[in-house]
Amino acid sequence: MRLSQMLFVTLREDPAEAEIPSHKLLLRAGYIRRIGSGIYAYLPLMWRVLQKVSQIVREEMNATLAQECLLPQLQPAELWRESGRWDTYTQAEGIMFALKDRQERELGLGPTHEEVITTIAKEMIRSYRQLPLHLYQIQTKFRDEIRPRFGLMRGREFIMKDGYSFHADEESLKKTYQDMHQAYSNMLRRSGLSFRAVQADSGAIGGSGSQEFMVLAEAGEDEVLYTEDGQYAANVEKAVSLPADAENSIFTSYEKRETPGTDTIEKLCKFLKSSPTQVVKNVLYQAVYDNGMTVLVLVIIRADQEVNEVKLQNELTKLSGNYGGKTLLFLTVPDAEAQQKWAAKSLPLGYIAPDIGDDYIASHKQVNSKFLRLVDHTAVDLKNFVTGSNESSYHVVGANWGEQLKLPENVVDVRKARPGDRAIHNPAQTLQSARGIEVGHIFQLGTKYSKAMGATYTNEQGEEVPLVMGCYGVGVSRLAQSAVEQSYDKDGIIWPVAIAPYHVIISIPNVSDAAQLQAAEQLYDQLNEAGIETLLDDRNERAGVKFKDADLIGIPYRIVTGKSLKAGKVEVVERATHKAQDIALEEVVPTLKQWIDAAVS
Ligand code: ATP
Ligand code: MG
């Protein structure tokens, strides 16, 4: 392709809308253009990158038993009602774009495709003889993200490869899951990314079967906790660890003490000269289930620890049935306005005790009349601890479970693991922290959707049983931008060769020099013929401008038809290192071919 014929516009200045390097660079180098919040146009250079990533993804998927298909983006609401996800996906923080057609039928724009694929499986898979089966697609997804940002990293319209597998049993699912682990590792390695596979939250479905593929970069929205021995890596949402040991209590007898102005743990510990490991804090949350039921939740946890809200959500989802709901709609820390709706009297905020009376909750048919009290493991073994007294400006010290306070029944792990914590598999290892961009997620779903939607098959014994499912997603557009986030310098993008829009750019320093022009044209033809994707910068611009642009757009190799032409040579510059060497005209094609092959193998 000739630059003179392209829509080629680069910017010298960083666009104000962009915060992270990859977003700035893709905008500056003319790869993408913002059309609206979280909505981007993929310009020709970007589209080539996306096609390359898609092709790598496709090849790795096709090397397994997966088959490509294309599912509809417009999805009838009924399917989502069957799975029980319509409300969670369209209300509150739900991310599905919902619409009505001319006949007032409700539809959603596909954020993901479990419902569609399960419907197909339900109708088409009858017998174990048809299993296992794995279908995937590469397609635009729509999600009304709460905070779209960072360009293609979190768009409201983005490209995803999503695959869904169906199995007769868990063993078969595990095999495909393993194959996907390999396929995903291959995809990322081939795309030139440095990554880590980590244990991930599987929501309330539980099980050990979910891993995320994290591209390691400072700009990553996710925190990964790992140990240096390579034995453990998990998303912080999922991570577990051993908490620090609690210090011995300085209190030996139970007493209510005046503790004025100590509505935070820090102030309280300073006032009492006590360690936060000897304090039990009581954190109030408000859960709303899909049937509209509000439940006030008191999380009782050692005060030096923090609540992991993902773990908490999972616990609350598991308890849905107790409150007549199917799923949790949202979880918040109730602010003053929220408290007005249910508080029968003003709450002793900052001084709440584990046994705060249920009479703080006004009678209301949509509000559960009792607090749901969840105790984290860290609070269970404490002796002579400090906690609230349910009276402002007072705490109790030297308290014990089974004496002054009853230990609530629900003991759970809702604690956030933190860097520096000791690892469970080996307490000599401590958790380290890294930032990651989640580019892929593989998931053993089990029978969640097949049960909900009645997708069954007949097994070898002639019984009708639900299909066992897995799902596997990779963000194609996010992956492409993460490659930039991992690979750039002050001059611009440095594409990994395998996903660069072009391999080579020929910069003609002076287009009015006939010899330069002729050599460049000839190389351009030869390179393209040899299958080396080549750009020709034939614009009537100064050499300096051309070199700057070539660096900015990040093409791996630049050929300059300059001074060395007299000796029958051209200068070839490697983008990543800026290393330049003169190569004889006839050696250019075989040399580049060799370099490119080596780089993508
Ligand atoms: P996140 O936690 O980042 O929102 P997710 O858990 O919602 O991701 P999945 O539903 O597992 O993501 O989707 C599979 C893949 O699609 C993700 O691993 C990610 O690479 C990509 N992806 C998800 N949401 C977006 C988005 N808004 N923009 C671009 N890519 C996305
Ligand atoms: Mg998401």
Side-chain angles (χ1 to χ4, degrees):
M1 187 70 205
R2 291 163 191 276
L3 250 59
S4 62
Q5 294 170 4
M6 272 174 69
L7 174 63
F8 188 78
V9 182
T10 56
L11 311 172
R12 288 282 159 256
E13 302 298 324
D14 277 342
E17 66 182 89
E19 293 162 66
I20 59 170
S22 56
H23 187 197
K24 289 180 191 166
L25 287 168
L26 288 177
L27 283 166
R28 272 187 57 201
Y31 280 81
I32 57 173
R33 195 85 204 158
R34 183 181 183 273
I35 302 299
S37 166
I39 309 173
Y40 285 84
Y42 312 124
L43 298 173
L45 287 175
M46 191 72 220
W47 186 237
R48 287 181 72 96
V49 174
L50 293 171
Q51 302 266 39
K52 291 209 171 168
V53 174
S54 301
Q55 189 52 27
I56 291 173
V57 168
R58 192 171 272 129
E59 284 169 16
E60 292 301 331
M61 292 303 292
N62 292 349
T64 71
L65 63 78
Q67 286 183 68
E68 189 167 357
C69 65
L70 190 59
L71 304 170
Q73 283 157 311
L74 268 177
Q75 305 187 5
E78 294 87 85
L79 301 188
W80 288 73
R81 291 216 163 88
E82 258 182 65
S83 70
R85 289 208 294 183
W86 179 257
D87 287 343
T88 25
Y89 267 71
T90 56
Q91 290 176 24
E93 301 196 335
I95 43 107
M96 182 152 65
F97 287 102
L99 56 127
K100 279 192 182 142
D101 68 12
R102 62 181 73 245
Q103 284 156 17
E104 293 290 304
R105 284 176 302 215
E106 287 178 295
L107 299 157
L109 277 183
T112 179
H113 280 72
E114 283 84 3
E115 280 75 3
V116 170
I117 199 85
T118 308
T119 299
I120 294 171
K122 171 181 171 174
E123 289 164 5
M124 298 186 71
I125 300 176
R126 298 255 166 264
S127 152
Y128 69 92
R129 288 190 200 88
Q130 292 167 279
L131 299 172
L133 189 80
H134 185 174
L135 297 179
Y136 78 93
Q137 59 173 346
I138 298 175
Q139 184 198 54
T140 295
K141 292 280 186 276
F142 298 90
R143 290 186 183 182
D144 195 359
E145 295 281 354
I146 293 159
R147 259 200 303 160
R149 57 177 189 165
F150 301 161
L152 307 187
M153 291 294 193
R154 185 169 298 284
R156 295 200 298 162
E157 182 180 323
F158 59 96
I159 303 175
M160 196 203 288
K161 185 288 296 180
D162 49 328
Y164 306 87
S165 66
F166 297 92
H167 308 266
D169 52 38
E170 289 284 331
E171 196 186 321
S172 165
L173 167 61
K174 288 213 159 68
K175 182 176 180 309
T176 297
Y177 183 80
Q178 229 19 71
D179 290 348
M180 282 301 109
H181 188 288
Q182 189 59 50
Y184 275 47
S185 303
N186 295 347
M187 285 171 199
L188 297 183
R189 181 187 47 77
R190 286 182 58 191
S191 300
L193 293 165
S194 145
F195 67 97
R196 198 188 276 274
V198 307
Q199 290 179 21
D201 172 53
S202 320
I205 307 173
S208 58
S210 166
Q211 277 170 298
E212 286 165 344
F213 287 77
M214 296 286 187
V215 166
L216 303 172
E218 264 317 299
E221 290 187 90
D222 285 286
E223 183 179 4
V224 173
L225 296 177
Y226 65 96
T227 53
E228 233 126 54
D229 64 1
Q231 299 293 303
Y232 185 74
N235 190 315
V236 68
E237 293 176 350
K238 164 85 180 175
V240 290
S241 63
L242 298 170
D245 291 332
E247 287 174 32
N248 283 332
S249 178
I250 55 170
F251 303 102
T252 49
S253 57
Y254 179 75
E255 197 186 322
K256 183 167 164 182
R257 288 226 186 146
E258 191 173 4
T259 53
T262 59
D263 55 353
T264 66
I265 296 299
E266 209 189 329
K267 289 185 214 161
L268 175 66
C269 290
K270 211 163 154 200
F271 185 87
L272 292 175
K273 300 191 174 57
S274 165
S275 154
T277 63
Q278 271 309 322
V279 178
V280 168
K281 70 177 168 185
N282 304 285
V283 193
L284 188 61
Y285 285 93
Q286 174 169 341
V288 179
Y289 288 95
D290 56 338
N291 56 349
M293 190 57 123
T294 293
V295 178
L296 285 319
V297 183
L298 196 65
V299 178
I300 301 159
I301 187 168
R302 211 172 79 189
D304 62 315
Q305 302 296 320
E306 286 163 70
V307 177
N308 175 331
E309 291 187 0
V310 174
K311 290 184 183 175
L312 177 58
Q313 270 174 27
N314 293 341
E315 292 299 334
L316 293 171
T317 304
K318 282 193 245 163
L319 296 174
S320 301
N322 295 4
Y323 303 103
K326 280 207 200 77
T327 139
L328 179 71
L329 218 49
F330 49 89
L331 175 69
T332 49
V333 173
D335 56 13
E337 195 191 329
Q339 287 166 30
Q340 268 180 11
K341 294 202 183 114
W342 54 262
K345 48 187 176 175
S346 118
L347 291 155
L349 293 173
Y351 302 88
I352 294 180
D355 64 351
I356 184 170
D358 293 324
D359 58 351
Y360 276 96
I361 305 174
S363 159
H364 190 300
K365 71 175 187 318
Q366 290 284 68
V367 181
N368 192 58
S369 61
K370 288 188 161 62
F371 285 101
L372 167 61
R373 298 165 209 264
L374 300 175
V375 197
D376 184 75
H377 290 288
T378 50
V380 174
D381 295 329
L382 295 183
K383 301 270 179 291
N384 295 323
F385 55 82
V386 176
T387 195
S389 68
N390 295 324
E391 188 179 336
S392 280
S393 301
Y394 289 89
H395 281 85
V396 297
V397 302
N400 285 290
W401 299 117
E403 293 177 18
Q404 301 81 17
L405 292 161
K406 186 170 164 275
L407 183 70
E409 276 163 33
N410 284 305
V411 178
V412 292
D413 167 28
V414 290
R415 180 184 143 261
K416 203 169 175 176
R418 285 188 296 220
D421 284 350
R422 293 163 299 162
I424 288 181
H425 74 278
N426 175 2
Q429 294 278 323
T430 54
L431 297 187
Q432 315 285 314
S433 163
R435 304 300 304 180
I437 303 165
E438 179 204 323
V439 294
H441 194 172
I442 61 176
F443 206 111
Q444 298 181 28
L445 282 173
T447 53
K448 176 181 154 103
Y449 294 94
S450 50
K451 269 193 186 144
M453 301 183 75
T456 56
Y457 73 100
T458 309
N459 69 12
E460 272 192 85
Q461 290 74 44
E463 302 151 340
E464 192 142 321
V465 289
L467 288 157
V468 178
M469 290 176 64
C471 74
Y472 321 93
V474 58
V476 170
S477 42
R478 185 183 283 183
L479 188 160
Q481 184 171 330
S482 340
V484 179
E485 197 57 42
Q486 260 190 356
S487 180
Y488 65 90
D489 63 14
K490 65 176 185 2
D491 299 318
I493 300 170
I494 304 172
W495 284 111
V497 178
I499 62 170
Y502 289 90
H503 299 128
V504 174
I505 180 165
I506 306 173
S507 303
I508 311 173
N510 178 3
V511 282
S512 45
D513 179 326
Q516 286 192 15
L517 197 60
Q518 196 237 330
E521 290 283 353
Q522 197 178 349
L523 279 173
Y524 179 60
D525 289 341
Q526 288 171 351
L527 287 161
N528 278 321
E529 253 163 55
I532 297 173
E533 298 160 27
T534 305
L535 274 175
L536 180 64
D537 192 351
D538 56 347
R539 294 174 301 164
N540 189 10
E541 288 282 0
R542 282 182 296 116
V545 170
K546 293 186 177 183
F547 297 162
K548 268 208 160 64
D549 277 341
D551 278 352
L552 178 61
I553 65 173
I555 308 300
Y557 305 104
R558 180 174 86 216
I559 298 177
V560 186
T561 52
K563 291 188 208 86
S564 43
L565 258 189
K566 288 200 186 71
K569 291 182 174 178
V570 287
E571 186 189 41
V572 181
V573 187
E574 190 187 24
R575 171 66 186 87
T577 57
H578 284 127
K579 240 176 31 204
Q581 62 187 95
D582 285 348
I583 295 182
L585 281 167
E586 62 279 10
E587 287 303 317
V588 170
V589 173
T591 306
L592 281 169
K593 191 143 189 62
Q594 199 195 339
W595 289 355
I596 292 163
D597 288 348
V600 300
S601 69

